[in-house]
Amino acid sequence: MNCLRPLGLCLAALWLSGCQWIPEQPFGAAEPETVEETVACYAEVPDFAETACLLPDWIAFGLASQRGDGEWRNDMLERLAGETARRRLARAVVLGWGSERQWDRAAELYEADLHAAPADLQPLLRYWLNELEGRRAMAGRLERSREELAALEAENAELAEKLDALTAIERNINLRQQSP
């Protein structure tokens, strides 16, 4: 019985000290294999291949489209010639970050081919389409505001002319009343 007491104390101390002293794998068990895949993502022109690079490639392409200048966009649009859904959606991404004149075409391409994209990519493309629609709506509101402002300025100028004419008439009336 005296032999078991030190062993019991050791087990109690081990239990109280925490689990860091207990090995994760049983003794003699094989170590789990760690497979590190080194995947080179960020293709210049993304594709629809359902790999680990699908989303990173399209996100990088979207960022490049956003940051690229007009020359980059024109070059990319030439490279993306063709009528596959992947090429049309890639053109939509490029056009979506182009001038306001290109936004309508980008929206058409997104809407026409969004369903053809892989399921994992569709939420990203839908997000970009929604963001584009938001910018188009803001541009439309801005244009309407400018038109309203121009109309109000024209109305203001017309009212100023009428006020000047009425002021001139009042002066003439006052001058006639003062002279005998």
Side-chain angles (χ1 to χ4, degrees), residues 108-144:
E108 291 170 9
L109 290 170
Y110 273 125
E111 290 168 357
D113 293 309
L114 187 70
H115 69 280
D120 290 344
L121 184 59
Q122 287 183 11
L124 176 64
L125 296 174
R126 187 167 311 284
Y127 173 80
W128 284 342
L129 172 60
N130 290 340
E131 194 276 334
L132 175 63
E133 292 296 341
R135 282 189 281 135
R136 288 175 66 201
M138 280 194 298
R141 286 192 302 268
L142 179 61
E143 184 59 32
R144 284 189 300 279

Side-chain angles (χ1 to χ4, degrees), residues 4-83:
L4 294 177
R5 190 167 194 201
L7 181 61
L9 289 174
C10 286
L11 287 175
L14 183 63
W15 181 74
L16 290 173
S17 66
C19 298
Q20 69 266 19
W21 301 109
I22 301 173
E24 290 183 24
Q25 295 291 326
F27 293 109
E31 287 287 320
E33 292 184 28
T34 56
V35 178
E36 290 187 27
E37 286 187 37
T38 309
V39 180
C41 293
Y42 310 118
E44 192 170 356
V45 177
D47 58 21
F48 281 171
E50 300 225 17
T51 65
C53 290
L54 179 69
L55 287 175
D57 279 352
W58 279 90
I59 290 170
F61 185 70
L63 289 172
S65 297
Q66 183 179 6
R67 294 175 183 151
D69 59 6
E71 184 179 332
W72 182 90
R73 282 189 198 85
N74 290 336
D75 291 344
M76 191 54 68
L77 288 172
E78 287 177 19
R79 291 180 57 196
L80 292 170
E83 290 305 314

